[in-house]
Amino acid sequence: MIEQKKEKTIAPPVDFSTAREMSRYLTEPEAMYVGAPGKHGYLRLGFELDKSGKSILRDLDRRHPLIVQQELYFDEGMPEMPCVYILSSGGPNVDGDRYRQDFTVRKDAFAHIATGAATKLAEMRYNYSGLIQNIVLEENAYLEFLPEPVIPCRHTRFISDTRLCVDKTATVVYAEIFMGGRKYYKDGELFEYDILSVCCHGERPDGEQLFREKFIIDPKIEHPRNLGVMGNFDIFANVIVMTPQESAEKIYDKTPVFIDRKNNLAAGITKLPGNAGVLYKVLGIETGPVKKLVREFAGIVRQTVKNKPLPPDFPWR
């Protein structure tokens, strides 16, 4: 059961006015205006240990179309871990949508967060869709955030900014999977979106800045099919792991890197600046093999940090 605090918060604004790459897409939609009710989703999740030492979803605040019902305990590898699925009642993201998600895992607590389905970014004619995420981990906290892939349609405009504020003793596994588009829709529409702007930055609770990674994909300026970008691959996965240096070294040594031209898969790993952790990347053609590699890597992290296995994903996902 959710032990939810009764006080409600005012959803902070989602503002990308300083993002120059989105300056071409500021036309007000002709239907519902930017950030209108139902277009300004907000989600706040707070995990902590209860009096018995069980990790629970203590705080929950949500604004449509984002939905979370309650935490579940189905992970056979860590049956004590609360698992939360983020759902949406509004269908795909459309132009003018603004979303914000704030996740906090307090001292010694742990959690697994995922999405119920892929995030679909609809065709956009006027504005863009934006997402801000703030993820905070206190001392010795542990979080796995493994959402389903993002699917951009033709003429999608999307921007996101994710802040990871992680204590030196804590571990977060933050994953993103971006498809090139609806590959099997009609004649296919791979890399026919207008722009994807994705930023993730890490810091310590005292404000120390550790790293910042941002990529802007604008197929009209430089096509992802170019050599050195995506080439013949269709799907890109990015996994950021912030963890103590000792764990990061073990994860780095245990993770296989390869280019498998027969199965059209590639994976690589590097170390984050400031001894913050590691960065894992996967390229592929089909969603299933990419998701499998991401989950296997998350399993390496969990085994290293928690000494417990991450079971295979449900076959229907």
Side-chain angles (χ1 to χ4, degrees):
M1 297 294 293
I2 299 174
E3 299 186 30
Q4 179 180 342
K5 291 185 178 180
K6 295 182 178 180
E7 68 267 16
K8 291 287 186 179
T9 58
I10 298 175
V14 178
D15 183 17
F16 288 102
S17 58
T18 60
R20 291 179 294 176
E21 65 270 23
M22 309 307 289
S23 61
R24 294 169 288 170
Y25 309 113
L26 301 180
T27 303
E28 194 75 25
E30 291 185 356
M32 297 177 70
Y33 59 87
V34 174
K39 293 175 66 64
H40 184 192
Y42 176 61
L43 180 62
R44 176 171 62 86
L45 303 176
F47 299 89
E48 66 178 49
L49 299 183
D50 65 8
K51 294 180 180 180
S52 68
K54 179 182 179 181
S55 186
I56 62 171
L57 177 59
R58 174 73 74 180
D59 301 329
L60 169 60
D61 191 8
R62 58 186 183 237
R63 303 288 189 277
H64 289 300
L66 297 178
I67 299 173
V68 163
Q69 294 174 321
Q70 68 177 59
E71 75 271 46
L72 304 171
Y73 294 87
F74 58 76
D75 191 309
E76 295 180 357
M78 287 185 68
E80 69 278 18
M81 171 176 280
C83 302
V84 172
Y85 283 98
I86 302 171
L87 308 175
S88 176
S89 63
N93 294 24
V94 299
D95 43 2
D97 282 357
R98 301 292 188 268
Y99 297 95
R100 182 184 179 106
Q101 299 183 152
D102 295 332
F103 306 146
T104 301
V105 187
R106 298 186 178 90
K107 183 179 178 181
D108 296 325
F110 42 90
H112 176 97
I113 301 175
T115 54
T119 299
K120 302 173 185 67
L121 308 175
E123 182 172 346
M124 302 178 188
R125 299 182 179 181
Y126 304 101
N127 206 262
Y128 63 88
S129 174
L131 168 67
I132 283 180
Q133 298 183 117
N134 286 291
I135 300 175
V136 178
L137 274 72
E138 298 180 357
E139 299 98 317
N140 202 36
Y142 178 82
L143 174 65
E144 296 169 350
F145 185 34
L146 303 176
E148 291 295 295
V150 174
I151 307 175
C153 297
R154 182 179 289 112
H155 296 307
T156 283
R157 299 93 174 255
F158 176 72
I159 183 171
S160 70
D161 184 272
T162 300
R163 169 179 168 262
L164 301 173
C165 181
V166 181
D167 186 84
K168 292 182 178 180
T169 61
T171 297
V172 61
V173 183
Y174 174 78
E176 300 171 316
I177 301 177
F178 293 94
M179 298 181 65
R182 293 182 293 182
K183 184 173 183 178
Y184 300 107
Y185 176 75
K186 295 182 178 179
D187 295 328
E189 54 177 31
L190 289 175
F191 305 116
E192 294 187 10
Y193 49 80
D194 288 342
I195 190 169
L196 291 183
S197 175
V198 180
C199 180
C200 187
H201 43 102
E203 62 183 58
R204 296 300 184 200
D206 61 4
E208 179 189 1
Q209 301 299 303
L210 299 173
F211 64 88
R212 183 174 185 268
E213 182 187 45
K214 181 171 183 176
F215 55 87
I216 300 173
I217 307 175
D218 187 335
K220 295 185 182 66
I221 295 177
E222 182 175 5
H223 202 277
R225 288 295 188 205
N226 290 346
L227 185 65
V229 187
M230 290 289 289
N232 295 323
F233 294 105
D234 299 335
I235 302 171
F236 167 66
N238 201 48
V239 188
I240 293 174
V241 177
M242 294 181 67
T243 191
Q245 184 178 2
E246 181 180 355
S247 296
E249 295 289 346
K250 294 178 181 178
I251 294 166
Y252 184 88
D253 292 338
K254 293 177 183 178
T255 301
V257 296
F258 59 88
I259 298 177
D260 184 348
R261 302 193 184 279
K262 180 181 178 181
N263 294 305
N264 293 310
L265 279 171
I269 189 170
T270 188
K271 297 178 181 178
L272 291 171
N275 296 319
V278 295
L279 175 62
Y280 181 67
K281 296 180 182 289
V282 180
L283 294 173
I285 296 292
E286 300 294 341
T287 308
V290 173
K291 289 174 56 178
K292 184 173 183 292
L293 283 175
V294 169
R295 192 168 181 87
E296 287 175 353
F297 174 69
I300 292 174
V301 177
R302 183 192 285 194
Q303 191 70 52
T304 302
V305 176
K306 289 295 186 179
N307 196 29
K308 295 183 179 181
L310 178 67
D313 204 358
F314 296 115
W316 57 83
R317 284 178 60 81

Coordinates of all heavy atoms in Angstrom, one line a residue, residues 123-182:
E123 N 3.4 13.3 -34.7 CA 3.7 14.3 -35.7 C 3.3 15.6 -35.2 O 2.2 15.8 -34.6 CB 3.0 14.0 -37.0 CG 3.4 15.0 -38.1 CD 2.8 14.6 -39.5 OE1 2.4 13.4 -39.6 OE2 2.8 15.4 -40.4
M124 N 4.2 16.6 -35.3 CA 3.9 18.0 -34.8 C 4.0 19.0 -35.9 O 4.9 19.0 -36.7 CB 4.9 18.2 -33.6 CG 4.9 17.2 -32.5 SD 6.1 17.5 -31.2 CE 5.9 15.9 -30.3
R125 N 3.1 20.0 -35.8 CA 3.0 21.0 -36.8 C 3.3 22.4 -36.3 O 3.7 23.3 -37.1 CB 1.6 21.0 -37.5 CG 1.2 19.7 -38.1 CD -0.1 19.8 -38.8 NE -0.5 18.6 -39.5 CZ -1.7 18.4 -40.1 NH1 -2.5 19.5 -40.2 NH2 -2.0 17.3 -40.7
Y126 N 3.2 22.7 -35.0 CA 3.3 24.0 -34.5 C 4.4 24.2 -33.5 O 5.3 25.0 -33.7 CB 2.0 24.4 -33.9 CG 0.8 24.3 -34.8 CD1 -0.1 23.2 -34.6 CD2 0.5 25.2 -35.7 CE1 -1.2 23.1 -35.5 CE2 -0.6 25.1 -36.6 CZ -1.4 24.0 -36.4 OH -2.5 23.9 -37.3
N127 N 4.4 23.4 -32.4 CA 5.3 23.6 -31.3 C 6.1 22.4 -31.1 O 6.5 21.7 -32.1 CB 4.4 23.9 -30.1 CG 5.2 24.7 -29.0 OD1 5.7 24.2 -28.1 ND2 5.2 26.0 -29.2
Y128 N 6.5 22.0 -29.9 CA 7.3 20.8 -29.6 C 6.8 20.3 -28.3 O 6.0 20.9 -27.5 CB 8.8 21.2 -29.5 CG 9.1 22.2 -28.4 CD1 9.4 21.8 -27.1 CD2 9.1 23.6 -28.7 CE1 9.8 22.7 -26.1 CE2 9.4 24.5 -27.7 CZ 9.7 24.1 -26.4 OH 10.0 25.0 -25.4
S129 N 7.4 19.1 -27.9 CA 7.1 18.4 -26.6 C 8.4 18.5 -25.8 O 9.5 18.2 -26.3 CB 6.6 17.0 -26.9 OG 6.5 16.3 -25.6
G130 N 8.2 18.8 -24.5 CA 9.4 18.9 -23.6 C 9.2 18.1 -22.4 O 8.1 18.0 -21.8
L131 N 10.3 17.6 -21.8 CA 10.4 16.8 -20.6 C 11.5 17.3 -19.7 O 12.7 17.3 -20.2 CB 10.5 15.3 -20.9 CG 10.8 14.4 -19.8 CD1 9.7 14.4 -18.7 CD2 11.1 13.0 -20.3
I132 N 11.3 17.6 -18.5 CA 12.3 17.9 -17.5 C 12.2 16.8 -16.4 O 11.1 16.5 -15.9 CB 12.1 19.3 -16.9 CG1 12.6 20.3 -17.8 CG2 12.9 19.4 -15.6 CD1 12.5 21.8 -17.3
Q133 N 13.4 16.3 -16.0 CA 13.5 15.2 -15.0 C 14.5 15.6 -13.9 O 15.6 16.0 -14.3 CB 13.8 13.9 -15.6 CG 12.8 13.3 -16.6 CD 13.1 12.0 -17.1 OE1 12.4 11.0 -16.9 NE2 14.2 11.8 -17.8
N134 N 14.1 15.5 -12.7 CA 15.0 15.7 -11.6 C 15.1 14.4 -10.8 O 14.0 14.0 -10.2 CB 14.6 16.9 -10.7 CG 14.9 18.2 -11.3 OD1 16.0 18.6 -11.5 ND2 13.8 18.9 -11.7
I135 N 16.2 13.8 -10.7 CA 16.4 12.5 -10.0 C 17.4 12.7 -8.9 O 18.6 13.0 -9.2 CB 16.8 11.4 -11.0 CG1 15.7 11.2 -12.1 CG2 17.0 10.1 -10.2 CD1 16.1 10.2 -13.2
V136 N 17.0 12.5 -7.6 CA 17.8 12.8 -6.5 C 18.0 11.5 -5.7 O 17.0 10.8 -5.3 CB 17.2 13.9 -5.6 CG1 18.1 14.1 -4.4 CG2 17.1 15.2 -6.4
L137 N 19.2 11.1 -5.4 CA 19.5 9.9 -4.5 C 20.3 10.4 -3.3 O 21.4 11.0 -3.5 CB 20.3 8.9 -5.3 CG 19.4 7.9 -6.1 CD1 18.8 8.5 -7.3 CD2 20.2 6.7 -6.5
E138 N 19.8 10.0 -2.1 CA 20.6 10.3 -0.9 C 21.6 9.2 -0.6 O 21.8 8.3 -1.4 CB 19.6 10.6 0.2 CG 18.6 11.8 0.0 CD 17.6 12.0 1.1 OE1 17.6 11.2 2.0 OE2 16.9 13.0 1.0
E139 N 22.1 9.3 0.6 CA 23.2 8.3 1.0 C 22.8 6.9 0.8 O 21.7 6.5 1.3 CB 23.6 8.5 2.4 CG 24.2 9.9 2.7 CD 23.1 10.8 3.3 OE1 22.0 10.8 2.8 OE2 23.5 11.6 4.2
N140 N 23.6 6.1 0.1 CA 23.4 4.7 0.0 C 22.1 4.3 -0.7 O 21.7 3.1 -0.6 CB 23.5 4.0 1.3 CG 23.9 2.5 1.2 OD1 24.7 2.1 0.3 ND2 23.3 1.7 2.0
A141 N 21.5 5.2 -1.4 CA 20.3 4.9 -2.1 C 20.6 4.1 -3.4 O 21.7 4.2 -3.9 CB 19.5 6.1 -2.4
Y142 N 19.6 3.5 -4.0 CA 19.7 2.7 -5.2 C 18.5 2.8 -6.1 O 17.4 2.6 -5.6 CB 20.0 1.2 -4.9 CG 20.2 0.3 -6.1 CD1 21.4 0.2 -6.7 CD2 19.1 -0.5 -6.5 CE1 21.5 -0.6 -7.8 CE2 19.3 -1.3 -7.6 CZ 20.5 -1.4 -8.3 OH 20.6 -2.2 -9.3
L143 N 18.7 3.1 -7.4 CA 17.5 3.3 -8.3 C 17.9 2.7 -9.6 O 18.9 3.0 -10.2 CB 17.2 4.8 -8.4 CG 16.1 5.1 -9.5 CD1 14.7 4.5 -9.0 CD2 16.0 6.6 -9.7
E144 N 16.9 2.0 -10.2 CA 16.9 1.5 -11.6 C 15.8 2.2 -12.3 O 14.6 2.1 -11.9 CB 16.8 0.0 -11.6 CG 17.9 -0.8 -11.0 CD 17.5 -2.3 -10.8 OE1 16.4 -2.7 -11.1 OE2 18.4 -3.0 -10.5
F145 N 16.2 3.0 -13.3 CA 15.1 3.6 -14.2 C 15.3 3.1 -15.6 O 16.2 3.5 -16.3 CB 15.3 5.1 -14.1 CG 14.2 5.9 -14.9 CD1 12.9 5.4 -14.9 CD2 14.5 7.1 -15.5 CE1 12.0 6.1 -15.6 CE2 13.6 7.8 -16.2 CZ 12.3 7.3 -16.3
L146 N 14.5 2.1 -15.9 CA 14.6 1.4 -17.2 C 13.3 1.6 -18.0 O 12.5 0.6 -18.1 CB 14.9 0.0 -17.0 CG 16.1 -0.4 -16.2 CD1 16.3 -1.9 -15.9 CD2 17.4 0.2 -16.8
P147 N 13.0 2.7 -18.6 CA 11.8 2.9 -19.4 C 11.8 2.2 -20.7 O 12.9 1.9 -21.2 CB 11.7 4.4 -19.5 CG 13.2 4.9 -19.5 CD 13.8 3.9 -18.6
E148 N 10.7 2.1 -21.3 CA 10.5 1.5 -22.7 C 11.1 2.5 -23.7 O 11.2 3.7 -23.4 CB 9.1 1.1 -23.0 CG 8.6 -0.1 -22.2 CD 9.3 -1.3 -22.5 OE1 9.2 -1.8 -23.7 OE2 10.0 -1.9 -21.6
P149 N 11.3 2.2 -24.9 CA 11.9 3.1 -25.9 C 11.0 4.3 -26.2 O 9.8 4.3 -26.0 CB 12.1 2.2 -27.1 CG 12.1 0.8 -26.6 CD 11.2 0.8 -25.4
V150 N 11.7 5.3 -26.7 CA 11.0 6.5 -27.3 C 10.9 6.3 -28.8 O 11.9 6.0 -29.5 CB 11.8 7.8 -26.9 CG1 11.2 9.0 -27.6 CG2 11.9 8.0 -25.4
I151 N 9.7 6.6 -29.3 CA 9.5 6.4 -30.8 C 9.1 7.7 -31.4 O 7.9 8.2 -31.2 CB 8.4 5.4 -31.0 CG1 8.7 4.0 -30.3 CG2 8.2 5.1 -32.5 CD1 7.6 3.0 -30.4
P152 N 10.0 8.4 -32.1 CA 9.6 9.7 -32.7 C 9.0 9.4 -34.1 O 9.5 8.7 -34.9 CB 10.9 10.4 -32.9 CG 11.9 9.3 -33.0 CD 11.4 8.1 -32.2
C153 N 7.8 10.1 -34.4 CA 7.2 9.9 -35.7 C 7.7 11.0 -36.6 O 8.6 11.8 -36.3 CB 5.7 10.1 -35.5 SG 4.9 8.8 -34.5
R154 N 7.2 11.0 -37.8 CA 7.6 12.1 -38.8 C 7.3 13.5 -38.2 O 6.2 13.7 -37.7 CB 6.8 11.8 -40.1 CG 7.1 12.8 -41.2 CD 6.4 12.5 -42.5 NE 6.9 11.2 -43.1 CZ 6.2 10.1 -43.2 NH1 5.0 10.0 -42.7 NH2 6.7 9.0 -43.8
H155 N 8.2 14.4 -38.4 CA 8.1 15.8 -37.9 C 7.9 15.9 -36.4 O 7.4 16.9 -35.9 CB 6.9 16.5 -38.7 CG 7.1 16.6 -40.1 ND1 8.3 17.2 -40.7 CD2 6.3 16.2 -41.2 CE1 8.2 17.1 -42.0 NE2 7.0 16.5 -42.3
T156 N 8.4 15.0 -35.7 CA 8.5 15.1 -34.2 C 9.5 16.2 -33.8 O 10.6 16.3 -34.4 CB 8.9 13.8 -33.6 OG1 7.8 12.9 -33.5 CG2 9.4 13.9 -32.1
R157 N 9.1 17.0 -32.8 CA 10.1 17.9 -32.2 C 10.1 17.6 -30.7 O 9.0 17.8 -30.0 CB 9.7 19.4 -32.4 CG 9.6 19.8 -33.8 CD 8.2 19.7 -34.4 NE 8.0 20.2 -35.7 CZ 7.4 21.4 -36.0 NH1 6.9 22.1 -35.0 NH2 7.3 21.8 -37.2
F158 N 11.2 17.2 -30.1 CA 11.2 16.8 -28.7 C 12.5 17.3 -28.1 O 13.6 17.2 -28.7 CB 11.2 15.3 -28.6 CG 11.3 14.7 -27.2 CD1 10.2 14.8 -26.3 CD2 12.4 14.0 -26.8 CE1 10.3 14.3 -25.0 CE2 12.5 13.5 -25.6 CZ 11.5 13.7 -24.7
I159 N 12.4 17.7 -26.8 CA 13.6 18.1 -26.0 C 13.4 17.6 -24.6 O 12.3 17.6 -24.1 CB 13.7 19.7 -26.0 CG1 15.0 20.1 -25.3 CG2 12.5 20.4 -25.5 CD1 15.4 21.5 -25.4
S160 N 14.5 17.2 -24.0 CA 14.5 16.7 -22.6 C 15.7 17.2 -21.9 O 16.8 17.4 -22.5 CB 14.4 15.2 -22.6 OG 15.5 14.6 -23.0
D161 N 15.6 17.3 -20.6 CA 16.7 17.7 -19.7 C 16.6 16.9 -18.5 O 15.6 17.0 -17.8 CB 16.7 19.2 -19.4 CG 18.0 19.6 -18.6 OD1 17.9 19.5 -17.4 OD2 19.0 20.0 -19.3
T162 N 17.6 16.1 -18.1 CA 17.6 15.2 -17.0 C 18.7 15.6 -16.0 O 19.9 15.6 -16.5 CB 17.7 13.7 -17.4 OG1 16.6 13.4 -18.2 CG2 17.7 12.8 -16.2
R163 N 18.4 15.9 -14.8 CA 19.4 16.2 -13.8 C 19.5 15.0 -12.8 O 18.5 14.6 -12.2 CB 19.0 17.4 -13.0 CG 19.8 17.7 -11.7 CD 19.3 19.0 -11.1 NE 19.8 19.2 -9.7 CZ 19.1 18.9 -8.6 NH1 17.9 18.4 -8.7 NH2 19.6 19.1 -7.5
L164 N 20.7 14.5 -12.7 CA 21.0 13.4 -11.7 C 21.8 14.0 -10.6 O 23.0 14.3 -10.7 CB 21.7 12.3 -12.4 CG 21.1 11.6 -13.6 CD1 22.0 10.6 -14.3 CD2 19.8 10.9 -13.2
C165 N 21.2 14.1 -9.4 CA 21.9 14.6 -8.2 C 22.0 13.4 -7.3 O 21.1 12.9 -6.6 CB 21.0 15.7 -7.5 SG 21.8 16.4 -6.1
V166 N 23.3 12.9 -7.2 CA 23.5 11.5 -6.6 C 24.6 11.7 -5.6 O 25.7 12.1 -5.9 CB 23.9 10.5 -7.7 CG1 24.1 9.1 -7.1 CG2 22.8 10.4 -8.7
D167 N 24.3 11.2 -4.4 CA 25.3 11.1 -3.3 C 26.5 10.2 -3.7 O 26.3 9.2 -4.5 CB 24.7 10.6 -2.0 CG 25.7 10.7 -0.9 OD1 25.8 11.8 -0.2 OD2 26.3 9.6 -0.5
K168 N 27.7 10.4 -3.2 CA 28.8 9.6 -3.6 C 28.7 8.1 -3.2 O 29.3 7.2 -3.8 CB 30.1 10.1 -2.9 CG 30.5 11.5 -3.4 CD 31.8 11.9 -2.7 CE 32.3 13.3 -3.3 NZ 33.5 13.7 -2.6
T169 N 27.8 7.8 -2.3 CA 27.6 6.4 -1.8 C 26.4 5.7 -2.5 O 26.2 4.6 -2.3 CB 27.4 6.4 -0.3 OG1 26.2 7.1 0.0 CG2 28.5 7.0 0.5
A170 N 25.7 6.5 -3.3 CA 24.5 6.0 -4.0 C 24.8 5.5 -5.4 O 25.8 5.7 -6.0 CB 23.4 7.0 -4.0
T171 N 23.8 4.7 -6.0 CA 23.9 4.2 -7.3 C 22.6 4.4 -8.1 O 21.5 4.1 -7.6 CB 24.2 2.7 -7.3 OG1 25.5 2.5 -6.7 CG2 24.2 2.1 -8.7
V172 N 22.7 5.0 -9.3 CA 21.5 5.1 -10.2 C 21.9 4.5 -11.5 O 23.0 4.7 -12.0 CB 21.1 6.6 -10.3 CG1 22.2 7.4 -10.9 CG2 19.8 6.7 -11.2
V173 N 20.9 3.7 -12.1 CA 21.0 3.2 -13.4 C 19.9 3.9 -14.2 O 18.7 3.7 -14.0 CB 20.8 1.7 -13.5 CG1 20.9 1.2 -14.9 CG2 21.7 1.0 -12.5
Y174 N 20.3 4.9 -15.1 CA 19.4 5.7 -15.9 C 19.6 5.3 -17.4 O 20.6 5.5 -17.9 CB 19.7 7.2 -15.7 CG 18.8 8.1 -16.5 CD1 17.5 8.3 -16.2 CD2 19.4 8.6 -17.7 CE1 16.7 9.1 -17.0 CE2 18.6 9.4 -18.5 CZ 17.3 9.6 -18.2 OH 16.5 10.4 -19.0
A175 N 18.5 4.8 -17.9 CA 18.6 4.3 -19.3 C 17.6 5.1 -20.2 O 16.5 5.5 -19.8 CB 18.2 2.8 -19.4
E176 N 18.0 5.3 -21.5 CA 17.2 5.9 -22.5 C 17.4 5.0 -23.8 O 18.6 4.7 -24.1 CB 17.6 7.3 -22.8 CG 17.5 8.2 -21.6 CD 18.1 9.6 -21.9 OE1 19.2 9.6 -22.5 OE2 17.5 10.6 -21.6
I177 N 16.3 4.7 -24.5 CA 16.4 4.0 -25.8 C 15.6 4.8 -26.8 O 14.4 5.1 -26.6 CB 15.9 2.6 -25.7 CG1 16.6 1.8 -24.6 CG2 16.0 1.9 -27.0 CD1 16.1 0.4 -24.4
F178 N 16.3 5.2 -27.9 CA 15.6 6.0 -28.9 C 15.6 5.2 -30.2 O 16.6 4.8 -30.7 CB 16.4 7.3 -29.1 CG 16.4 8.3 -27.9 CD1 17.4 8.2 -27.0 CD2 15.3 9.1 -27.8 CE1 17.3 9.1 -25.9 CE2 15.3 10.0 -26.7 CZ 16.3 10.0 -25.7
M179 N 14.4 5.0 -30.7 CA 14.2 4.4 -32.0 C 14.3 5.5 -33.1 O 14.1 6.7 -32.8 CB 12.9 3.7 -32.1 CG 12.7 2.6 -31.1 SD 11.2 1.7 -31.2 CE 11.3 1.0 -32.8
G180 N 14.6 5.0 -34.3 CA 14.8 6.0 -35.4 C 13.4 6.5 -36.0 O 13.4 7.4 -36.7
G181 N 12.4 5.8 -35.5 CA 11.0 6.2 -36.0 C 10.2 4.9 -36.1 O 10.6 3.8 -35.6
R182 N 9.0 5.0 -36.7 CA 8.1 3.9 -36.9 C 8.6 3.1 -38.1 O 8.3 3.4 -39.2 CB 6.7 4.3 -37.0 CG 6.1 4.9 -35.8 CD 4.7 5.3 -35.9 NE 4.5 6.4 -36.9 CZ 3.3 7.0 -37.2 NH1 2.2 6.6 -36.6 NH2 3.3 8.0 -38.1

